[in-house]
């Protein structure tokens, strides 16, 4: 097998290479007097600086030259501390779109972007964006992760709107960039300009969107000489106060902490959080989960969202595991009850080291420690209270090695490890990955081989998983084949996430897209696929499906699309019964969905979707439909409100209900889901913002009185005579939640923020499933409400600035 794969790769990469594209070059000169960052290009340094101009469009059309009245002229200079960018962006002021937003939010406005690649390797970019409103955005980017806007830099910028366009000045200190200490350097360089009114995007060096990653089309920045990587040491001291009230009880908390960023070398950075503070992480959007798999939520803690690109290789890192619910169980004696079981585990500290050498070797190390956590148990006869450890002191660790080559390929090794004190389970997972494109950037191979090992009380458990993808990655017509496999013992859920294992799946995809607009459409995409699934052990067939999806954008910037999916014949679900080896059969399910999203540039816009599903199966009358409406109003450049209404109704759904001795009980049920949410933002300017988010989720489940028993052949029968009244607990459900989040943020200095939050939360779950929405809402408000007030102050301190301050003081004193 390995020999055949080697021959295949050799043939693939012996294809003739494409002629290297001529790259534009910008020569930079050093200045002794840096420009004032005020949005006015009257500084002496700009007068004779080399110009980057003659931009060409690459979206929606390619190769279209810029117009005279919307031309772009960019100049760059540098000194010992920073790179400086000045750009004159010609345009008619009435056509410039701007909207005040929070950081990293592009919204409905034009933008200008600068992309640096100090290694000039086409794969590791650092991006800086500025908007007519003055807002900033920044990201790190590579072909494997895309753009990661969770990464944040600290830099200065100024914008002025003038009679014939808008003007930008930027100061990007070197501590935001990773580069070598060579005497003479050549960096990869690209500029982007986006016009929101038409969604047209231009670049300085021309881009071919039909193949290859976008970094291959950078120009080059020459002339950088004798700059030394600075001591990249930054401090983020913070203080926070928390007031929480719930059911008549009030808790307060006060924290002092420190986050640190330190450049160990010119290419590697250490990030640490000492005494972590996650008091301002938002509420999770809870839903009623009737399925067999774990419900997950997105990460909201800043330390775990920023600069984690390397650690996400192979999808082995699910950061919510760090500080999540305790993993241990409580063994209760007779007459005992749990009176306090923590929902989360406290993170004591966390650190990550990441970077990439000049030869393309990326290295990442992540480590976090969580504290011992105990539950309290009370003996109801004696009143005695005891404690039992439900999560010991634990260490979470990740090591990543990622070697890039040929400007478009990489091979990676990743290991994750969780070590818990005492007799609790330990876990170790190792993955080997490759992502290889040929020199012409026309074909791509991607693969993963992973092994998990658990140290359990009853012995070790080792499992395996693989994934392989091969496809054509250029041109309008593209196709691919993929295969995924995991055995019954593969488990990464101590530090990663996998909803299920035991699969042996095959897929084929075929897509067609355009890169040049037609008479009525800016672009469109149509794709079809076929999937065939089996169990890994035993090797039983579980199902097959095929489908079609379509997406298009009109000349007037309205987006619309749809999809249809058909699960053909018998489908064998081995997970819904909740008993190993048992399965549930359903047949011929078809579902479809259509959507439209109108032009967000307009004052009023709307997103809407409509879909449904049904089964072509004897003696089954299950139907489902759903729709959503999401109107949005942009009152002005500062005020935006979005309302969302989603409704889902399932008639005569069939699913697992409970276990009764050796019987697996299924029910036929009507289910309804209704979600109302509102989000609004008011940005006073690019430094002050006010935001409101509200969400109310309501779901009911009503069972028919007669229940099914699952037979050994996967079919359901009512012959056993089970009814809802025979069950120990009423299975009907009325589930509702309410979250409200009001926040104010003030950036009072670069990298420094004051954030004030007010949140409240309500939750209720009972069996009153026949109640109306109004009655359920009244019942929800009968529950105790949780109120949370939080204030957090974070200040940015850079070592270089502190050093200069002390130098000035010493000179003054002398």
């Amino acid at each position: 097998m390995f020999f055949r794969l080697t021959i295949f790769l050799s043939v693939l990469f012996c294809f003739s290479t494409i002629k290297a594209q001529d790259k534009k070059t910008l020569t930079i000169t050093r200045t002794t007097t840096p420009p004032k960052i005020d949005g006015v290009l009257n500084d002496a340094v700009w007068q004779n600086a080399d110009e980057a101009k003659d931009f060409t469009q690459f979206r929606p059309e390619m190769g279209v030259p810029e117009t005279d009245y919307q031309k772009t002229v960019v100049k760059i200079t540098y000194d010992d501390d920073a790179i400086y960018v000045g750009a004159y962006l010609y345009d008619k002021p009435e056509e410039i779109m701007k909207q005040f937003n929070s950081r990293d939010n592009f919204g409905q406005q034009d933008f200008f972007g600068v992309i640096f690649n100090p290694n000039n390797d086409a794969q590791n970019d650092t991006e800086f964006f500025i908007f007519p409103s003055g807002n900033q955005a920044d990201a790190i980017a590579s072909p494997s992760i895309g753009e990661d806007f969770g990464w944040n830099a600290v830099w200065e910028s100024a914008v002025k709107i003038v009679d014939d366009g808008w003007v930008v000045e930027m100061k990007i200190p070197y501590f935001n960039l990773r580069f070598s200490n060579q005497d003479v350097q050549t960096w990869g360089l690209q500029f982007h300009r986006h016009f929101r009114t038409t969604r047209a995007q231009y670049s300085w060096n021309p881009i071919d969107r039909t193949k290859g990653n976008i970094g291959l089309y950078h120009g080059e920045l020459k002339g950088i000489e004798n700059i030394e990587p600075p001591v990249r040491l930054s401090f983020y001291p913070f203080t926070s106060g928390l007031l929480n009230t719930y059911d008549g009880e009030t808790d307060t908390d006060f924290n002092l902490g420190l986050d640190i960023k330190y450049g160990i070398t010119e290419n590697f950075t250490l990030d640490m959080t000492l005494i972590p503070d996650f008091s301002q992480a938002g509420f999770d959007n809870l839903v009623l989960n009737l399925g067999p798999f774990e419900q997950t939520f997105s990460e909201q803690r800043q330390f775990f969202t920023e600069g984690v690109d390397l650690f996400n290789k192979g999808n082995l890192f699910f950061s919510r595991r760090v500080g999540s619910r305790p993993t241990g169980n409580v063994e209760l004696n007779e007459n005992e009850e749990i009176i306090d079981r923590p929902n989360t585990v406290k993170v004591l500290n966390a650190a990550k080291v990441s970077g990439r050498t000049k030869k393309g070797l990326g290295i990442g190390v992540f480590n976090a420690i969580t504290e011992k956590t105990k539950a309290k148990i009370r003996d109801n006869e004696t009143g005695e209270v005891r404690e039992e450890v439900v999560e010991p002191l634990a260490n979470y660790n990740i090591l990543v090695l990622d070697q890039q080559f040929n400007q478009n390929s990489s091979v990676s090794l990743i290991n994750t490890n969780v070590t818990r004190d005492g007799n609790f389970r330990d876990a170790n997972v190792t993955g080997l990955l490759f992502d290889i494109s040929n020199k012409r950037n026309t074909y791509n191979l991607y693969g993963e081989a992973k092994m998990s090992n658990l140290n359990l009380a009853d012995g070790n458990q080792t499992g395996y998983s693989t994934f392989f993808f091969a496809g054509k990655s250029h041109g309008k017509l593209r196709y691919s084949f993929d295969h995924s496999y995991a055995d019954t013992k593969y488990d990464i859920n101590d530090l990663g996430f996998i909803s299920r294992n035991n699969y042996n799946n095959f897929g084929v995809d075929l897509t067609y897209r355009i890169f040049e607009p037609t008479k009525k459409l800016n672009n469109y995409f149509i794709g079809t696929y076929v999937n065939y699934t089996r169990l890994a052990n035993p090797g039983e067939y579980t199902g097959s499906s095929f489908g079609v999806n379509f997406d298009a954008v009109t000349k007037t910037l309205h987006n619309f699309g749809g999809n249809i999916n058909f699960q053909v014949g018998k489908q064998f679900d081995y997970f819904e019964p909740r008993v190993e080896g048992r399965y549930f059969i359903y047949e011929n399910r078809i579902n479809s969905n259509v959507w439209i999203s109108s032009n967000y540039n307009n004052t009023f816009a709307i997103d809407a979707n409509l879909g449904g599903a049904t089964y072509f199966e004897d003696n089954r009358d299950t139907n489902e439909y759903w729709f959503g409406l999401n109107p949005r109003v942009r009152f002005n450049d500062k005020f935006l409100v979005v309302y969302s209404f989603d409704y889902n109704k399932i008639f005569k759904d069939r699913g697992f209900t409970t276990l009764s001795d050796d019987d697996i009980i299924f029910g036929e049920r009507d289910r309804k889901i209704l979600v109302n949410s509102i989000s609004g933002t008011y940005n006073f300017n690019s430094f002050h913002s006010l935001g409101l988010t509200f969400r109310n989720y309501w779901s009911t489940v009503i069972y028919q009185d007669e229940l099914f028993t699952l037979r050994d052949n996967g079919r359901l029968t009512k012959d056993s005579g089970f009814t809802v009244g025979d069950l120990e607990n009423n299975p009907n459900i009325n589930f509702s939640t309410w979250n409200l989040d009001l926040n104010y943020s003030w950036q009072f200095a670069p990298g420094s923020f004051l954030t004030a939050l007010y949140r409240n939360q309500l939750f209720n779950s009972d069996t009153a499933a026949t109640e109306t929405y109004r009655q359920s809402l009244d019942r929800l408000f009968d529950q105790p409400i949780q109120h949370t007030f939080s204030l957090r102050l974070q200040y940015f301190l850079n070592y270089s600035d502190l050093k200069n301050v002390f130098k000035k003081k010493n000179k003054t004193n002398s």
Side-chain angles (χ1 to χ4, degrees):
M1 176 67 182
F2 178 78
F3 176 75
R4 287 194 299 243
L5 181 59
T6 302
I7 294 295
F8 175 69
L9 290 175
S10 300
V11 172
L12 180 62
F13 293 104
C14 284
F15 289 173
S16 60
T17 60
I18 193 169
K19 182 180 178 181
Q21 174 184 304
D22 292 334
K23 293 176 176 285
K24 287 186 176 181
T25 299
L26 186 69
T27 301
I28 193 172
T29 55
R30 180 186 288 270
T31 182
T32 55
T33 306
K36 182 181 180 182
I37 307 303
D38 56 5
V40 180
L41 302 182
N42 58 357
D43 307 270
V45 67
W46 297 132
Q47 306 312 310
N48 297 314
D50 197 9
E51 294 183 344
K53 55 187 179 180
D54 299 324
F55 283 46
T56 54
Q57 188 180 139
F58 69 92
R59 185 182 294 126
E61 297 188 64
M62 290 188 295
V64 178
E66 61 187 358
T67 60
D68 287 339
Y69 85 93
Q70 288 184 326
K71 65 182 179 180
T72 304
V73 179
V74 188
K75 301 180 180 183
I76 297 187
T77 188
Y78 74 107
D79 60 14
D80 291 337
D81 300 317
I83 292 272
Y84 303 87
V85 181
Y88 208 108
L89 310 167
Y90 290 87
D91 204 352
K92 297 177 181 178
E94 63 272 18
E95 294 185 13
I96 299 172
M97 289 198 66
K98 61 183 177 68
Q99 178 188 6
F100 291 96
N101 284 305
S102 56
R103 186 185 177 90
D104 294 327
N105 187 343
F106 280 59
Q108 282 65 63
Q109 55 179 334
D110 296 1
F111 68 75
F112 170 73
V114 182
I115 294 91
F116 293 112
N117 188 312
N119 283 348
N120 201 17
D121 59 12
Q123 294 195 84
N124 299 282
D125 295 339
T126 307
E127 304 178 339
F128 302 90
F129 298 93
I130 189 69
F131 305 90
S133 61
N135 289 108
Q136 295 179 344
D138 41 40
I140 53 176
S142 71
S144 59
I145 66 162
E147 293 176 299
D148 177 12
F149 285 94
W151 177 82
N152 287 315
V154 178
W155 47 289
E156 296 180 47
S157 60
V159 172
K160 281 192 179 297
I161 295 180
V162 293
D163 292 341
D164 55 353
W166 53 297
V167 183
V168 168
E169 278 188 300
M170 306 162 68
K171 176 185 178 181
I172 302 171
Y174 291 136
F175 61 74
N176 295 299
L177 302 168
R178 298 177 181 180
F179 56 91
S180 65
N181 58 0
Q182 295 176 328
D183 292 340
V184 180
Q185 302 187 31
T186 297
W187 292 6
L189 176 68
Q190 183 67 284
F191 302 108
H192 284 235
R193 185 175 178 191
H194 180 81
F195 298 89
R196 180 69 198 192
T197 53
T198 60
R199 300 305 299 269
Q201 193 157 332
Y202 291 74
S203 64
W204 168 57
N205 202 69
I207 293 174
D208 182 356
R209 291 191 294 120
T210 64
K211 60 184 176 182
N213 72 76
I214 200 168
L216 292 167
Y217 301 98
H218 291 351
E220 290 187 336
L221 179 64
K222 293 182 177 293
I224 299 177
E225 297 181 356
N226 301 318
I227 62 170
E228 295 184 4
V231 176
R232 292 185 293 113
L233 177 59
S234 302
F235 304 95
Y236 297 82
F238 64 81
T239 180
S240 68
L242 180 71
L243 173 67
N244 189 75
T245 65
Y246 179 74
D247 200 17
E249 296 186 2
T250 300
D251 297 319
T252 59
D253 191 22
F254 177 77
N255 276 327
L256 288 171
L258 178 67
D259 292 346
I260 299 174
K261 291 182 184 293
Y262 173 59
I264 302 173
T265 69
E266 62 266 20
N267 285 315
F268 289 88
T269 301
L270 167 68
D271 292 271
M272 295 186 66
T273 179
L274 307 177
I275 317 177
D277 174 38
F278 305 128
S279 61
Q280 296 196 331
F283 292 129
D284 293 321
N285 288 334
L286 298 176
V287 300
L288 176 60
N289 182 18
L290 299 181
F293 304 122
E294 176 187 0
Q295 182 178 355
T296 63
F297 304 99
S298 61
E299 181 61 82
Q300 301 188 60
R301 299 169 296 178
Q302 182 176 335
F303 180 83
F304 294 103
T305 61
E306 180 181 337
V308 293
D309 55 309
L310 273 176
F311 305 107
N312 288 328
K313 289 277 185 177
N315 295 317
L316 294 178
F317 179 39
F318 179 53
S319 59
R320 288 290 295 254
R321 297 294 187 206
V322 183
S324 62
R325 289 177 178 273
T327 58
N329 296 317
V330 175
E331 295 185 5
L332 295 177
N333 299 319
E334 189 176 354
N335 301 317
E336 285 187 333
E337 67 172 344
I338 300 174
I339 59 174
D340 182 21
R341 180 186 173 91
N343 291 323
T344 59
V345 176
K346 184 177 180 180
V347 180
L348 296 177
N349 57 66
K352 51 183 184 275
V353 175
S354 62
R356 191 173 297 275
T357 68
K358 185 70 175 177
K359 294 184 178 181
L361 176 61
I363 302 174
V365 178
F366 170 91
N367 187 267
I369 298 174
T370 58
E371 74 172 356
K372 179 189 292 186
T373 305
K374 299 178 180 180
K376 292 183 179 179
I377 301 101
R378 179 174 59 205
D379 188 312
N380 290 326
E381 287 190 351
T382 65
E384 182 181 352
V385 176
R386 65 181 179 89
E387 293 183 332
E388 186 170 327
V389 176
V390 289
E391 180 72 19
L393 183 73
N395 181 274
Y396 297 79
N397 189 74
I398 305 173
L399 171 65
V400 185
L401 302 175
D402 177 58
Q403 179 64 59
Q404 296 177 337
F405 55 94
N406 288 347
Q407 296 190 323
N408 60 9
S409 302
S410 65
V411 176
S412 309
L413 177 70
I414 179 169
N415 176 264
T416 70
N417 183 277
V418 180
T419 303
R420 297 182 174 95
D421 189 31
N423 295 321
F424 285 74
R425 60 186 273 165
D426 298 331
N428 188 282
V429 180
T430 301
L432 178 65
L433 297 71
F434 64 85
D435 185 356
I436 301 174
S437 295
N438 64 336
K439 292 182 179 181
R440 296 169 58 199
N441 294 295
T442 53
Y443 292 92
N444 175 255
L445 295 177
Y446 178 83
E448 300 177 353
K450 305 173 187 175
M451 179 181 72
S452 66
N453 184 269
L454 302 181
N455 185 0
L456 306 173
D458 55 354
N460 288 349
Q461 174 182 308
T462 301
Y464 300 92
S465 172
T466 61
F467 177 78
F468 176 76
F469 168 95
K472 178 175 177 281
S473 56
H474 76 289
K476 296 179 179 180
L477 182 67
R478 305 187 182 192
Y479 46 82
S480 65
F481 165 81
D482 62 84
H483 173 253
S484 55
Y485 173 90
D487 65 15
T488 58
K489 295 182 179 180
Y490 181 67
D491 185 352
I492 62 172
N493 281 328
D494 288 83
L495 191 48
F497 174 77
I498 182 173
S499 60
R500 56 158 289 194
N501 54 20
N502 194 15
Y503 55 80
N504 185 17
N505 300 338
F506 303 83
V508 176
D509 292 78
L510 179 68
T511 64
Y512 182 84
R513 70 198 70 192
I514 63 169
F515 295 96
E516 300 294 337
T518 65
K519 185 176 180 180
K520 294 184 178 180
L521 298 177
N522 267 350
N523 59 69
Y524 69 82
F525 166 97
I526 185 168
T528 184
Y529 58 88
V530 177
N531 293 322
Y532 175 85
T533 62
R534 303 181 67 89
L535 291 181
N537 185 28
E540 300 287 348
Y541 168 81
T542 59
S544 58
S545 64
F546 67 88
V548 177
N549 50 73
F550 176 78
D551 186 84
V553 178
T554 69
K555 289 286 190 179
T556 52
L557 304 184
H558 300 306
N559 178 227
F560 66 94
N563 60 58
I564 186 169
N565 178 71
F566 187 31
Q567 294 175 272
V568 187
K570 294 180 181 179
Q571 311 292 309
F572 298 80
D573 188 339
Y574 279 81
F575 297 91
E576 184 64 19
R578 275 52 161 201
V579 175
E580 186 175 352
R582 299 294 299 274
Y583 58 87
F584 163 58
I585 294 176
Y586 63 91
E587 298 182 43
N588 298 315
R589 184 180 190 271
I590 186 170
N591 63 276
S592 183
N593 187 52
V594 294
W595 67 86
I596 185 170
S597 177
S598 67
N599 187 351
Y600 282 11
N601 291 346
N602 299 330
T603 300
F604 176 83
I606 190 167
D607 296 318
N609 69 88
L610 174 66
T614 191
Y615 296 78
F616 295 95
E617 180 179 335
D618 293 340
N619 302 314
R620 182 166 187 179
D621 192 23
T622 302
N623 293 287
E624 178 180 3
Y625 72 89
W626 60 86
F627 66 88
L629 293 173
N630 303 276
R632 53 193 295 131
V633 181
R634 185 165 53 88
F635 293 94
N636 52 44
D637 291 339
K638 298 181 178 181
F639 187 28
L640 172 68
V641 175
V642 180
Y643 169 70
S644 177
F645 175 84
D646 292 285
Y647 184 81
N648 184 201
K649 183 66 185 269
I650 311 175
F651 300 93
K652 298 184 179 180
D653 179 36
R654 293 179 180 180
F656 174 85
T657 302
T658 190
L659 299 174
S660 178
D661 296 325
D662 293 330
D663 291 318
I664 302 173
I665 308 301
F666 271 55
E668 193 163 76
R669 59 214 182 186
D670 291 340
R671 185 176 183 187
K672 180 168 51 180
I673 302 171
L674 189 153
V675 185
N676 284 283
S677 63
I678 297 175
S679 63
T681 56
Y682 188 89
N683 292 271
F684 301 91
N685 51 42
S686 57
F687 304 105
H688 296 265
S689 65
L690 185 68
L692 172 69
T693 302
F694 159 79
R695 177 179 180 267
N696 173 223
Y697 173 94
W698 177 54
S699 180
T700 61
V701 181
I702 302 176
Y703 281 80
Q704 293 188 5
D705 187 56
E706 290 184 284
L707 298 173
F708 296 100
T709 301
L710 182 66
R711 293 176 173 174
D712 289 340
N713 65 359
R715 297 296 190 177
L716 300 177
T717 179
K718 291 184 179 180
D719 293 345
S720 57
F722 274 102
T723 66
V724 168
D726 296 326
L727 302 180
E728 183 178 350
N729 298 309
N730 187 345
N732 293 335
I733 304 173
N734 185 330
F735 180 98
S736 55
T737 67
W738 166 292
N739 292 338
L740 185 144
D741 187 320
L742 179 65
N743 64 84
Y744 167 76
S745 178
W746 172 31
Q747 181 180 342
F748 58 87
S752 304
F753 295 87
L754 175 67
T755 309
L757 297 177
Y758 165 71
R759 293 189 172 106
N760 64 45
Q761 183 179 51
L762 281 165
F763 171 80
N764 183 55
S765 182
D766 54 38
T767 61
T770 59
E771 288 190 344
T772 65
Y773 175 68
R774 177 59 187 271
Q775 291 171 326
S776 298
L777 199 61
D778 290 340
R779 184 183 290 268
L780 177 64
F781 275 94
D782 287 338
Q783 306 304 311
I785 188 169
Q786 178 179 340
H787 298 276
T788 303
F789 300 87
S790 175
L791 186 67
R792 190 175 196 269
L793 176 67
Q794 172 188 290
Y795 196 79
F796 168 74
L797 295 170
N798 181 48
Y799 170 80
S800 298
D801 295 337
L802 291 173
K803 184 175 65 173
N804 291 336
V805 169
F806 287 120
K807 282 184 177 179
K808 291 179 180 178
K809 285 186 177 181
N810 290 335
K811 287 181 179 179
T812 302
N813 294 334
S814 60

